[in-house]
Structure formats: structure tokens, C-alpha cells
Amino acid sequence: MKRIKISDLLQSSKVGDEVLVKGWVRTYRSNRFVALNDGSTINNIQAVIDFENEDENELKRITTGASVAITGKLVESQGQGQSVEIAVNSFEILGDAHPDEFPLQPKKHSLEYLREIAHLRPRTNTFAAVLRVRHAMTFAIHKFFNDKGFYNIHTPLITGTDAEGAGEAFQVTTFDLKNVPLNEEKEVDYKQDFFGKETSLAVTGQLEAELAALGLSEVYTFGPTFRAENSNTTRHLAEFWMIEPEVAFADNNDNMDLAEEMLKYCINYALKNCEDDLAFLNKRLLDEDKSKPEADRAGDLFEKLNFVAGNDFERITYTEAIDILRNSKPNKKKKFKFVINEWGADLQSEHERFLVEKHFKKPVIISDYPANIKAFYMKLNEDGKTVKAMDILFPGIGEIIGGSEREERHDVLLQKIEAQNIPMDSVWWYLDTRKFGTVPHSGFGLGFERLMLFVTGMGNIRDVIPFPRTPKNAEF
């Protein structure tokens, strides 16, 4: 007999059919009722064992965490909470989970504890729900861009360019670190390394995506990126996933339109296709809210998602944002950790969240930032002091997207590269594209895990990726 997924079985109208299900035991009570889950849905199927001649030793092996195969008749449920259940004819233990050793007994576990056993997190309702939503958001991203005629580009994970200029990259080398070769100047001789030059894990695929866009017009990347930033906040990972579209013949207004459309598409996709998982995550949030002060409560997840999906984002310039922040009560009363005194300040998360959550109470897109706090590839405005950048800020998250119109003018880009002392031998190919049929073009980067934080309502970025990589943590 062919196994049927529990998600399909719960939607089946074939009462009376003989079925085979396989999964993991969530609970077993009264030596009679088995709650079984196979990961295909947040919901369990109840299997009822009702025969006297079963081996008692075999029944004792039905414990929380054990994997079993159950054959029986699909019948209308006599209890509450499910429409159908399985009247068991036979069962087989596929894998034991000894109660004195299995760390996921049927009780509430803290998220901190579950991070320590991340290899078992997918067995819990919370993380199974998060991972199913993560899959749905991955599919939604690809579907969104595919339906708009974009081409997916695989950009290098190993690079000789620090595109962000922050110097927070993981070095890649095959050198024996106990015997690193030196040149005549007593510096590391990278010519002897595997790639013949200094290389690192990529912090972005943007620069290479731009090259593709200047031939294919509309492209996007979706891949892992790496930053060696020694940060242990709830918003940072050392390894995370980025979506980076690049569009030829598009200015920064087109860029903002595309980013807003994509975010709304993903949220609507989740609302339509992840209802059961979002309902479970929402109940979890609301239960947690009961023990929190009102100011710290997350609120209803569905209301938040529907509000963002159904309203236009507020669009303001950096200068307008600074004026709002400078005149705000938290700034005047010095309640901000980073007080805003003058134009040119780099906006911090507390400033971004104030604009979104307190002032406008909706997502905000800020454009036209000071050139000296943004990357070299962003297009310089006519005023000579700001660039055509744009950041999208979300409630509870802060910055979720950063992007810009790219500097396509060869002479201006060359000046910026020289002013920031970027080695020409690492970006000559990028500069080259501005010599041969250059065009205005724009793009942005979406941190996938930050989108996941917003859609799931989870509070820590380590809980929306299967195996988080953070300072001092590369387990599993």
C-alpha cells in the first residue's frame, strides 16, 4: 500500500478507505490514542488503537518522538478537533525514541533551548511551521520574478571584491595557517594561494548581477551571503540569504515600485497559502503577549500582514526623515541612544522603527541619502552630496530592503572608486561595463531572513533559518 501524506489525508473525503500513514508520534495517551505528524501540515492525524491482542511490549515502544507506520481505516472522528481519524488495523515501529533520552517531550520548550538542539527543531510545531513558511516564501520569490520575465542568475560565492567596502568578509584560503608563505616585503604572498590572489566569501552578488542585467535587462539572484560582523543581536547572522534584482533602464522610482510590489506579493502569497501555519504562529504570539507590557506586545499577526499588504508605503527623503527625527519627542528628551543633531547622521534601528511604528505607522521608503554614508556604486544626485539610494523600513524589523540607482557614468564612478581607495585590480571589470553601452539601471537587496521575521512574527533571526551561523556558533 502506498503511503499518503497527513496533509492530504485530512482533506480527504474517502471515509472508509484503507490508508497507510507514516510519521512521528507527538503524543500517545490512554494506550489508545496516537497523535501522528509527518511534517506535511501543522495538524496531526489521530490514530485509535482498539484491539486487545496487541503485543504489550510493542505498545510500550509508541513514545513521543518514535517513528511509526500505521495502517487502518479512515473513519469519521468521534472526538473534537478533527473531522477524521484512523481506526488502526496494524502498526510498525520504524524508529524508537527512548523517553529518558529524547529531548523533545510534549511540553513547552524555550527558543533558546531549542537552538541548542537545532538538529531536532524541525520536529516541533513552531519550527516546522516556520520552515514550511520559509519554503512558501522561497517559491513566492521565484514565482514573482519568473512571472515578470526576470532571469535567475547564480553569482559567485567566492570573490576577490569587497563590494560593500566594510571589510567584514570571511577569508578563503588553502594555505597551511602554521606556515603561511611571505613575499620579499614580508607580507602574505597570495600569489601562491589557490586563486593566486586574496579571496573571501561573498557579502553580495550585486556587482555580478549588474553585469548580467547589462545584457539580459532584468535579472535576480537568490543565494547565501556571508558577513564576518561580530554581532550577537536578534537581527544579524553571519550566513544568510539575499534576493538581489538588477534592472536595466530603470531609475530609483522604478526600483521602489518593484520592491514594494514584491514585498506585498510575498505577504499576500503567505496569507493565501500558509493559513494554518500562520494561525498557529499567531496563537503563539498572542499567548506570549498576555505576559508582556502593552507597549511590548506584538499584536495580531494577520492584522499586521494584511495592513502592510493593503496599504501604500510612505515615501520620504532622508532630509525629511532627519527633520522628523530631530523634532521628535524621543530625540528632544534624549531617549534615543543615538541622538540626531544634524543632517548627515547615519540612521540607526531605533530611528527607523520610530518612523515606521510611531510616526507614520506604516512601512516607509527613505530615499536620497548622504553620499558619504552609502556605498560607492550608488548614483550621485545633481546636488553632489546625496545619492539615489532607497531603504524600505518595516514595523518590528527596521530596514528590510536596501537599494539604489547604480552609478552608470564612467567618470563619476571612477572618481568614487579612487576617492574610497578601492583597489582597481578588484573592480576593473565592473568599471569596464560603464565604457561599453552603459545604461541607467537600478537594484536592491532583500534580506530573506528579515522577511521571514516579519511574515512569521518570530522575534529572533536565528529562529527563521534552519541552522544559524553566528559568532562562536557553527554547530550542526
Side-chain angles (χ1 to χ4, degrees), residues 218-435:
E218 297 175 332
V219 304
Y220 74 103
T221 75
F222 192 158
T225 52
F226 310 87
R227 294 193 185 174
E229 183 178 1
N230 190 15
S231 176
N232 270 302
T233 75
T234 59
R235 295 288 182 271
H236 290 91
L237 291 167
E239 175 187 282
F240 54 99
W241 289 68
M242 288 284 288
I243 297 97
E244 296 176 299
E246 290 291 331
V247 186
F249 315 110
D251 63 20
N252 206 33
N253 288 319
D254 299 321
N255 205 28
M256 290 186 273
D257 291 342
L258 179 68
E260 181 172 346
E261 182 186 359
M262 183 198 66
L263 288 169
K264 289 179 175 179
Y265 179 93
C266 290
I267 292 169
N268 280 318
Y269 189 92
L271 287 167
K272 181 179 178 181
N273 295 279
C274 306
E275 187 175 357
D276 286 348
D277 287 319
L278 292 180
F280 172 84
L281 294 169
N282 188 40
K283 183 178 183 303
R284 176 186 165 277
L285 275 177
L286 296 177
D287 287 344
E288 286 188 351
D289 276 354
K290 293 175 184 177
S291 60
K292 293 180 179 179
E294 189 170 348
D296 296 333
R297 292 176 183 174
D300 187 276
L301 181 60
F302 285 102
E303 287 183 8
K304 182 175 69 171
L305 295 176
N306 278 302
F307 180 79
V308 169
N311 286 282
D312 291 338
F313 297 0
E314 190 72 30
R315 299 189 183 190
I316 60 173
T317 65
Y318 168 87
T319 300
E320 291 168 331
I322 286 294
D323 288 341
I324 292 169
L325 291 166
R326 186 189 291 136
N327 295 313
S328 68
K329 286 184 179 179
N331 197 63
K332 288 181 176 179
K333 294 183 178 181
K334 300 189 184 303
K335 290 188 176 181
F336 283 145
K337 182 179 178 182
F338 298 92
V339 176
I340 298 292
N341 293 316
E342 58 187 16
W343 191 94
D346 200 354
L347 299 187
Q348 305 296 321
S349 179
E350 60 179 342
H351 307 135
E352 295 169 343
R353 293 188 62 178
F354 172 82
L355 291 169
V356 172
E357 297 165 27
K358 303 297 183 183
H359 188 81
F360 290 108
K361 297 184 179 178
K362 61 162 65 171
V364 176
I365 307 180
I366 301 179
S367 62
D368 301 301
Y369 282 83
N372 63 349
I373 63 173
K374 288 296 184 180
F376 76 94
Y377 50 74
M378 297 187 177
K379 185 169 183 176
L380 194 65
N381 277 318
E382 291 72 16
D383 60 17
K385 66 176 184 176
T386 62
V387 288
K388 294 182 183 294
M390 69 94 179
D391 289 346
I392 299 184
L393 316 179
F394 260 29
I397 304 295
E399 181 190 334
I400 193 169
I401 276 180
S404 73
E405 188 171 335
R406 312 312 190 187
E407 184 55 78
E408 88 279 8
R409 297 165 294 184
H410 182 273
D411 57 337
V412 179
L413 184 59
L414 178 59
Q415 290 173 8
K416 294 177 79 172
I417 288 172
E418 291 175 341
Q420 295 189 30
N421 297 315
I422 297 171
M424 192 62 66
D425 60 358
S426 70
V427 294
W428 65 268
W429 44 270
Y430 183 72
L431 191 60
D432 226 26
T433 59
R434 274 58 175 177
K435 292 164 57 179

Side-chain angles (χ1 to χ4, degrees), residues 92-322:
E92 177 189 358
I93 305 296
L94 302 176
D96 292 291
H98 301 289
D100 55 343
E101 296 180 20
F102 186 58
L104 287 175
Q105 294 304 312
K107 63 178 183 179
K108 186 173 183 179
H109 298 284
S110 72
L111 297 177
E112 290 79 8
Y113 170 70
L114 292 175
R115 284 178 214 134
E116 297 173 3
I117 54 169
H119 59 304
L120 297 174
R121 289 199 304 183
R123 303 272 198 100
T124 66
N125 282 333
T126 297
F127 287 96
V130 168
L131 292 176
R132 282 188 294 268
V133 175
R134 187 180 173 103
H135 161 77
M137 291 297 89
T138 300
F139 182 80
I141 291 287
H142 285 298
K143 181 170 173 53
F144 173 79
F145 284 115
N146 181 73
D147 290 354
K148 291 184 75 68
F150 279 64
Y151 300 105
N152 182 225
I153 301 297
H154 295 157
T155 55
L157 297 186
I158 298 173
T159 180
T161 306
D162 179 9
E164 297 298 322
E168 296 169 341
F170 289 100
Q171 188 170 353
V172 175
T173 182
T174 57
F175 281 154
D176 177 358
L177 298 185
K178 296 179 181 178
N179 187 28
V180 177
L182 304 179
N183 58 24
E184 293 179 357
E185 287 76 34
K186 303 300 181 184
E187 298 173 338
V188 176
D189 188 1
Y190 287 106
K191 290 182 180 179
Q192 297 187 43
D193 207 352
F194 186 90
F195 292 106
K197 62 187 292 188
E198 189 173 1
T199 55
S200 60
L201 294 179
V203 300
T204 176
Q206 176 204 315
L207 302 190
E208 292 84 358
E210 283 189 54
L211 309 186
L214 293 173
L216 297 174
S217 289
E218 297 175 332
V219 304
Y220 74 103
T221 75
F222 192 158
T225 52
F226 310 87
R227 294 193 185 174
E229 183 178 1
N230 190 15
S231 176
N232 270 302
T233 75
T234 59
R235 295 288 182 271
H236 290 91
L237 291 167
E239 175 187 282
F240 54 99
W241 289 68
M242 288 284 288
I243 297 97
E244 296 176 299
E246 290 291 331
V247 186
F249 315 110
D251 63 20
N252 206 33
N253 288 319
D254 299 321
N255 205 28
M256 290 186 273
D257 291 342
L258 179 68
E260 181 172 346
E261 182 186 359
M262 183 198 66
L263 288 169
K264 289 179 175 179
Y265 179 93
C266 290
I267 292 169
N268 280 318
Y269 189 92
L271 287 167
K272 181 179 178 181
N273 295 279
C274 306
E275 187 175 357
D276 286 348
D277 287 319
L278 292 180
F280 172 84
L281 294 169
N282 188 40
K283 183 178 183 303
R284 176 186 165 277
L285 275 177
L286 296 177
D287 287 344
E288 286 188 351
D289 276 354
K290 293 175 184 177
S291 60
K292 293 180 179 179
E294 189 170 348
D296 296 333
R297 292 176 183 174
D300 187 276
L301 181 60
F302 285 102
E303 287 183 8
K304 182 175 69 171
L305 295 176
N306 278 302
F307 180 79
V308 169
N311 286 282
D312 291 338
F313 297 0
E314 190 72 30
R315 299 189 183 190
I316 60 173
T317 65
Y318 168 87
T319 300
E320 291 168 331
I322 286 294

